[in-house]
Amino acid sequence: NAGVTQTPKFRVLKTGQSMTLLCAQDMNHEYMYWYRQDPGMGLRLIHYSVGEGTTAKGEVPDGYNVSRLKKQNFLLGLESAAPSQTSVYFCASSYIQQALYNEQFFGPGTRLTVL
Amino acid sequence: GQQVMQIPQYQHVQEGEDFTTYCNSSTTLSNIQWYKQRPGGHPVFLIQLVKSGEVKKQKRLTFQFGEAKKNSSLHITATQTTDVGTYFCARAGSARQLTFGSGTQLTVLP
């Protein structure tokens, strides 16, 4: 199993450009998440999904959109990139187990620079 | 949001010394998870604590959950260079989304 994969690994954008980050997991997990990580700030939740066709806002959703058309994929879109969106983006997934909070499995990350 | 505060932000130790990082919340936590992120890598789950006063050990790592479920700690005995990285605590929300602490970056000097 590949676990959680992310494409691309690196990307440089100019201000105003758009792009889509792809996350895929082969563990049949129900829950998927997008985080951003900035120096000294830990990871902050952008959007998440509790199942195919559902999405919800996290702590820092502005400037991003997401879609979960297939259970195994979670896409993060930037419609008009801004320098403040320069960050490392991590996707994660987790499974459902009643009454427990389960570990999240993280992808390797995408390093995005917006000039 | 419901924050978790983590201290210290940085810690440099000599190899063989002990290391502790602390995680604190102003509200009661349902659970606390700990993750490790190696330099240039992604977070990797270490452990989850859910019971008041719980203590769990993984080799040289000891994890504690406070009696009031408002704080947690990770202690590493006799650090090794392989322990280098950033250690994060995180609390899970109702949809199992995580709120992370800011992390403690551990440097182990040989």
Side-chain angles (χ1 to χ4, degrees):
Chain A
N1 289 349
V4 180
T5 58
Q6 293 183 232
T7 53
K9 289 185 170 53
F10 304 92
R11 186 71 186 268
V12 178
L13 290 178
K14 294 182 179 179
T15 297
Q17 287 185 319
S18 64
M19 78 164 294
T20 300
L21 283 67
L22 172 63
C23 175
Q25 53 94 4
D26 61 2
M27 297 174 282
N28 201 35
H29 286 173
E30 287 291 336
Y31 292 74
M32 296 188 74
Y33 312 86
W34 276 107
Y35 295 91
R36 61 175 289 173
Q37 184 174 33
D38 302 297
M41 297 190 71
L43 288 90
R44 292 182 293 169
L45 183 66
I46 305 171
H47 286 281
Y48 63 98
S49 169
V50 300
E52 182 178 321
T54 72
T55 63
K57 294 181 179 180
E59 181 185 354
V60 289
D62 294 343
Y64 305 96
N65 57 77
V66 288
S67 64
R68 182 104 181 263
L69 299 179
K70 294 182 178 180
K71 185 177 182 179
Q72 63 269 32
N73 296 337
F74 196 28
L75 279 63
L76 177 70
L78 285 73
E79 291 185 347
S80 180
S84 60
Q85 294 178 304
T86 293
S87 188
V88 180
Y89 292 85
F90 287 101
C91 176
S93 69
S94 67
Y95 53 91
I96 294 176
Q97 185 170 349
Q98 194 170 4
L100 287 179
Y101 299 90
N102 300 306
E103 65 181 285
Q104 292 190 8
F105 296 81
F106 284 80
T110 295
R111 295 183 180 276
L112 175 67
T113 302
V114 182
L115 303 175
Chain B
Q2 296 177 316
Q3 302 286 338
V4 284
M5 307 302 294
Q6 196 171 350
I7 56 170
Q9 188 174 1
Y10 302 97
Q11 185 78 60
H12 293 226
V13 299
Q14 288 291 141
E15 189 172 15
E17 291 182 337
D18 293 355
F19 159 77
T20 304
T21 174
Y22 301 90
C23 189
N24 298 294
S25 171
S26 59
T27 58
T28 302
L29 301 166
S30 301
N31 65 86
I32 197 82
Q33 297 184 7
W34 286 93
Y35 289 79
K36 176 183 178 181
Q37 184 177 25
R38 295 182 185 275
H42 59 276
V44 175
F45 176 80
L46 293 176
I47 209 156
Q48 175 173 260
L49 306 171
V50 296
K51 297 178 182 177
S52 170
E54 190 169 15
V55 178
K56 288 188 177 180
K57 294 189 176 183
Q58 290 179 349
K59 297 183 180 179
R60 294 178 294 103
L61 278 61
T62 301
F63 304 85
Q64 293 189 336
F65 203 8
E67 293 289 343
K69 299 184 73 174
K70 289 186 175 182
N71 57 77
S72 180
S73 64
L74 159 58
H75 179 82
I76 302 178
T77 303
T79 55
Q80 300 175 359
T81 54
T82 53
D83 296 324
V84 165
T86 302
Y87 294 84
F88 293 98
C89 62
R91 66 183 299 170
S94 57
R96 298 171 172 82
Q97 71 274 34
L98 294 176
T99 299
F100 282 82
S102 55
T104 296
Q105 185 176 320
L106 173 63
T107 300
V108 180
L109 305 171

